[in-house]
Amino acid sequence: MASDETSRREYESLGQQSPTQGINAYESIDSSLYPSDIKVDQESSEQYPSPEIVADARRHHVFRFWPWEIGSVLVSFGLIAATYSILSRYNGQRVPEWPFSINLNTLVALISTIMRAAMLVGVAEVISQTKWSWFSRPRPLSHLQYFDEASRSVSGSLSLLFVAPTSPLGILGALITILSLGIGPFTQQTIKTVECIQTHDKVNASLPLAHYVPGNGTIYRIGAGLYEVQVDMKGTMINGIVNPTGNDSAITPVCPTGNCTFTSHNGITHSSMGLCSSCMDTTSFVSKLKAGFYDNYTLPNDMWVSPFSDEAYLNVAPDSLTWASSAFTSDFASLSASTIINITVLSFTSALCNGGGKLNCPVLDGSGGSTGFVATSCSLYPCVKNYNATMERGVLSEKIVSTQLAPVNWIEAGVGPNEINPYMNYTTLQSPCLINGTWFDLSNISNVPQDPGRQFTPINVDGTNYTAPNECLYKMEFPYLQALYKFMGSDLFNGICTYNARQGQAITCNDKWWLSSLYHNGEASFDTLRTAFDQFSTAVTNKLRTTGSSIYDTNVHEVVEGVVNEVTVCTVFQWEWLLLPTILVAATAVVLIVMILQNLRDHRQPVWKSSLLPLLYYGFGYERPHHEDPSRPVMDLTEMNQTASDTRAMFRNGDDAGFVNITPSINDIIRRRGRDVDVDSLIEDR
């Protein structure tokens, strides 16, 4: 504004008032606009600043005519940058939930609307300014209307493409206006929602595990050195034979969403004390023995079956397996010192028959058909099972990665091999082992900090003695193992089942009814029996995991914690759709910069933009007062607005239609003030 005042004073110092013209328009009051009968002494000729002076002033102050347009372009750039930033922030993330049901699409739509409005502010004024330079050559007057409509609407911009194809800035501005219609749809397309899995921060998943067996209250003493497992474990073992894959034998995870993951190391997410099985096929040890009128098929341990009606078709019994030692593999033989119990199953079966061929089924059964036989011996022993677990869509997938035998820890018990101590434990050292965020293995297990409350136990691993923290040990105490042996050996796996043709495919096991599951409806084989004992071991292990305890406190049940994932809706940022809005904002900045540079270069053309005043002050012909003196410089927008603010007019209809100047005369102004003032003092006051 200071520069405006300087220019005005410059005009005042150089310009002289004419007796007929009155005070010129560059002063505070233009006497030519105020009819007056008061004569003021003035010089006979009026002078104005030279064109060179006016051009220099306009060149230096051209930016003052474009402040809102420059600001609007900067706002557009800021908004497009904010759009990139916001969408990048939520790319791949859960759709945000904001108050008042405002979502990400609403925010982006609002930003794009403001961005388009701000961008078109500059575009509209560039198109409007272009029309004045367009008429530097003879053009149809209707082009004024086309340019004006192009600065205001999309339809006008479409028309301008055909009216002024040789106006680069006009065409570019019109194209920007037309293409700006795509800003809203394109920015909405940048947001794509997809189904995704996100971590739930407020809850954890968990799976039970046992570092120590038994837990508190899981066995009870029935005599000197004699223990019994609780009835729930007995039920689990029976169920592990008849329905091993049912829900009663399954682990129940804590996973609120049904989608959970657990941190793994070397593919292992967690480990637990449990029960393992290992089986061998002992069918080759079966021999035929004549017993009176019957043919019996027997094993060296005197277990037998007979293919006659109401005779034994299935025989299950605990066994030492010394008679089958010649068939032991090295792995099977290594289990002998740690085995809880060995079970042998001898059964007739038709699974080996090949269309009733006598070669594979040489035995005539009680119904007159052919049958074969199968013998399987399995060892059940304490072990540590290493798992990899995930849960998806409510289904737990828990795979056994590996197992480790839990032998007697002779060093801890203070006894030699093959000796018995009621306080000895079957123990496994887990390696590597995570303690306080650090992994330890056999090479650095001795470096575990001896923190208060931490206990250490001596153990022998592959002939080398170590002292390991109890956090890395999994134990099953001897009394619990005895309790398992007692129930499995005397009740669970000890019985004979008979067959009669009237029973169809079923056999009768009397009070050991659960053993009939091993018969497999006359289709038993080594594979079915091995699978049955594996499933039985899994059912018992799952029970141990839920009833076992911490290594330090038998009242504390341990769990492995995992991450809860939930299927939700996530945002995907498709940045390609922001290219159009970005290009349009950049193009707006370009046309504005080019227009400003054009104003700096062509200083004779004032910045009038969308103003209507030039049409009034510089209309057709030379009857306008501003055309009376050719030496008078053309007013710029600021000067024109100042002059217009001091002028009052009205539009007159009729034959002589047009605007009429009704600006009060100087005498009227003086009378209203109620005192005499000369023109100079009036100008000074104003």
Side-chain angles (χ1 to χ4, degrees):
M1 295 303 293
S3 60
D4 294 345
E5 184 66 21
T6 302
S7 299
R8 190 181 66 80
R9 290 175 179 174
E10 198 172 50
Y11 296 149
E12 291 175 359
S13 63
L14 295 176
Q16 298 293 326
Q17 295 177 336
S18 170
T20 59
Q21 181 68 15
I23 300 172
N24 67 62
Y26 296 94
E27 296 178 306
S28 296
I29 296 180
D30 189 348
S31 297
S32 65
L33 303 177
Y34 295 93
S36 172
D37 54 1
I38 299 177
K39 303 298 182 181
V40 181
D41 292 337
Q42 296 175 329
E43 294 182 3
S44 59
S45 65
E46 185 175 6
Q47 297 180 359
Y48 299 96
S50 66
E52 290 76 12
I53 295 176
V54 174
D56 289 340
R58 287 174 177 167
R59 183 179 294 110
H60 286 91
H61 301 295
V62 69
F63 288 100
R64 70 178 179 174
F65 299 110
W66 299 95
W68 291 104
E69 292 77 10
I70 294 173
S72 67
V73 171
L74 294 177
V75 169
S76 299
F77 274 112
L79 292 175
I80 196 70
T83 304
Y84 276 103
S85 177
I86 292 172
L87 294 181
S88 298
R89 163 65 178 81
Y90 290 102
N91 185 32
Q93 301 297 315
R94 182 183 307 164
V95 174
E97 297 178 0
W98 293 323
F100 308 108
S101 299
I102 297 175
N103 55 35
L104 195 58
N105 293 77
T106 304
L107 179 60
V108 170
L110 178 62
I111 291 176
S112 64
T113 301
I114 298 174
M115 178 178 65
R116 179 174 183 258
M119 184 184 73
L120 292 182
V121 168
V123 173
E125 294 301 334
V126 168
I127 294 176
S128 296
Q129 180 63 22
T130 302
K131 70 174 177 284
W132 303 117
S133 58
W134 178 251
F135 279 90
S136 61
R137 295 181 180 181
R139 310 282 187 186
L141 187 59
S142 62
H143 286 193
L144 275 176
Q145 182 66 19
Y146 283 115
F147 273 93
D148 184 67
E149 291 177 352
S151 68
R152 301 174 188 276
S153 66
V154 173
S155 59
S157 296
L158 285 171
S159 300
L160 188 64
L161 296 178
F162 303 97
V163 171
T166 59
S167 173
L169 290 182
I171 293 299
L172 186 54
L175 289 175
I176 293 174
T177 302
I178 296 168
L179 295 178
S180 68
L181 289 174
I183 289 180
F186 271 62
T187 52
Q188 287 297 307
Q189 284 295 112
T190 60
I191 303 174
K192 181 181 179 181
T193 55
V194 296
E195 184 180 276
C196 65
I197 296 179
Q198 291 287 306
T199 300
H200 202 299
D201 301 329
K202 297 181 180 179
V203 293
N204 291 324
S206 65
L207 289 170
L209 59 88
H211 252 96
Y212 184 80
V213 174
N216 189 33
T218 57
I219 60 173
Y220 56 94
R221 187 171 178 269
I222 59 175
L226 298 176
Y227 294 87
E228 191 88 24
V229 293
Q230 291 285 2
V231 66
D232 59 339
M233 175 55 83
K234 293 179 181 179
T236 295
M237 287 193 282
I238 294 175
N239 201 50
I241 297 175
V242 299
N243 187 26
T245 58
N247 291 333
D248 293 338
S249 302
I251 285 294
T252 303
V254 175
C255 182
T257 63
N259 293 281
C260 298
T261 56
F262 300 86
T263 303
S264 66
H265 181 74
N266 294 331
I268 298 173
T269 57
H270 60 288
S271 303
S272 178
M273 196 70 195
L275 184 70
C276 290
S277 67
S278 180
C279 297
M280 59 181 292
D281 190 346
T282 52
T283 305
S284 61
F285 289 92
V286 177
S287 61
K288 182 178 179 181
L289 179 64
K290 188 73 173 179
F293 295 102
Y294 302 103
D295 290 332
N296 292 341
Y297 293 84
T298 66
L299 286 170
N301 62 355
D302 294 331
M303 292 178 63
W304 60 275
V305 290
S306 179
F308 293 93
S309 181
D310 295 322
E311 294 294 331
Y313 267 54
L314 175 70
N315 197 333
V316 182
D319 193 5
S320 64
L321 295 185
T322 54
W323 52 271
S325 60
S326 61
F328 287 179
T329 63
S330 58
D331 290 338
F332 195 91
S334 65
L335 305 176
S336 59
S338 304
T339 297
I340 299 175
I341 192 171
N342 296 315
I343 307 295
T344 296
V345 179
L346 177 61
S347 175
F348 283 123
T349 179
S350 59
L352 303 177
C353 298
N354 183 11
K358 295 183 179 180
L359 179 62
N360 295 330
C361 296
V363 182
L364 294 176
D365 64 13
S367 61
S370 298
T371 186
F373 47 81
V374 62
T376 300
S377 298
C378 298
S379 289
L380 301 176
Y381 57 93
C383 66
V384 170
K385 293 185 175 182
N386 301 314
Y387 297 93
N388 182 281
T390 58
M391 189 167 185
E392 294 183 3
R393 301 184 184 277
V395 178
L396 175 64
S397 174
E398 196 172 42
K399 299 178 180 179
I400 298 177
V401 178
S402 61
T403 61
Q404 295 173 259
L405 173 66
V408 175
N409 189 356
W410 308 108
I411 300 177
E412 180 187 19
V415 297
N418 301 321
E419 295 183 17
I420 295 178
N421 185 318
Y423 300 105
M424 65 186 184
N425 295 308
Y426 292 75
T427 308
T428 291
L429 171 62
Q430 185 184 48
S431 177
C433 175
L434 181 65
I435 298 178
N436 297 335
T438 303
W439 289 97
F440 294 90
D441 55 22
L442 295 179
S443 65
N444 64 349
I445 197 72
S446 59
N447 298 331
V448 175
Q450 308 228 356
D451 297 335
R454 176 168 292 147
Q455 299 176 8
F456 291 81
T457 300
I459 188 172
N460 184 280
V461 179
D462 297 331
T464 302
N465 292 336
Y466 298 91
T467 300
N470 280 2
E471 292 96 319
C472 299
L473 299 177
Y474 291 82
K475 298 182 180 182
M476 179 183 289
E477 67 175 24
F478 180 71
Y480 191 80
L481 184 141
Q482 274 192 315
L484 290 175
Y485 172 81
K486 180 181 181 302
F487 179 70
M488 288 190 290
S490 61
D491 297 316
L492 192 65
F493 293 114
N494 195 344
I496 292 177
C497 302
T498 61
Y499 174 76
N500 189 292
R502 64 177 175 269
Q503 299 169 197
Q505 297 296 321
I507 57 175
T508 301
C509 301
N510 298 319
D511 59 343
K512 303 298 176 65
W513 52 269
W514 53 85
L515 294 178
S516 61
S517 295
L518 301 177
Y519 187 63
H520 206 65
N521 290 325
E523 298 287 337
S525 66
F526 172 72
D527 289 334
T528 63
L529 291 172
R530 180 177 57 185
T531 300
F533 278 94
D534 282 344
Q535 292 175 337
F536 171 80
S537 300
T538 298
V540 174
T541 299
N542 291 345
K543 185 64 175 180
L544 294 178
R545 289 170 60 180
T546 58
T547 60
S549 65
S550 165
I551 198 75
Y552 288 115
D553 190 346
T554 58
N555 292 311
V556 175
H557 298 291
E558 288 194 356
V559 296
V560 57
E561 291 189 344
V563 175
V564 176
N565 302 315
E566 59 180 342
V567 178
T568 184
V569 178
C570 289
T571 299
V572 175
F573 176 25
Q574 301 183 106
W575 60 268
E576 299 88 349
W577 290 96
L578 272 185
L579 289 178
L580 175 65
T582 303
I583 292 172
L584 292 180
V585 171
T588 301
V590 169
V591 297
L592 181 60
I593 292 172
V594 171
M595 177 55 70
I596 293 175
L597 293 176
Q598 194 175 87
N599 293 153
L600 290 172
R601 185 177 61 255
D602 186 10
H603 51 267
R604 293 182 178 275
Q605 172 61 56
V607 178
W608 287 340
K609 297 192 289 188
S610 58
S611 176
L612 297 176
L613 294 177
L615 298 176
L616 297 176
Y617 285 112
Y618 300 101
F620 289 105
Y622 295 92
E623 70 279 3
R624 306 289 183 177
H626 294 86
H627 287 300
E628 292 177 358
D629 190 346
S631 66
R632 186 175 186 176
V634 177
M635 292 186 291
D636 61 28
L637 188 59
T638 302
E639 298 161 348
M640 195 176 298
N641 287 336
Q642 180 62 41
T643 300
S645 65
D646 294 332
T647 303
R648 299 193 63 176
M650 65 174 291
F651 187 82
R652 183 172 58 192
N653 293 306
D655 296 336
D656 193 14
F659 281 97
V660 178
N661 187 349
I662 59 170
T663 304
S665 66
I666 296 299
N667 290 334
D668 293 335
I669 295 175
I670 293 175
R671 290 191 198 97
R672 290 193 188 111
R673 293 187 175 184
R675 57 188 176 86
D676 291 334
V677 293
D678 58 17
V679 174
D680 291 337
S681 63
L682 178 59
I683 295 174
E684 183 177 354
D685 289 341
R686 289 176 63 85

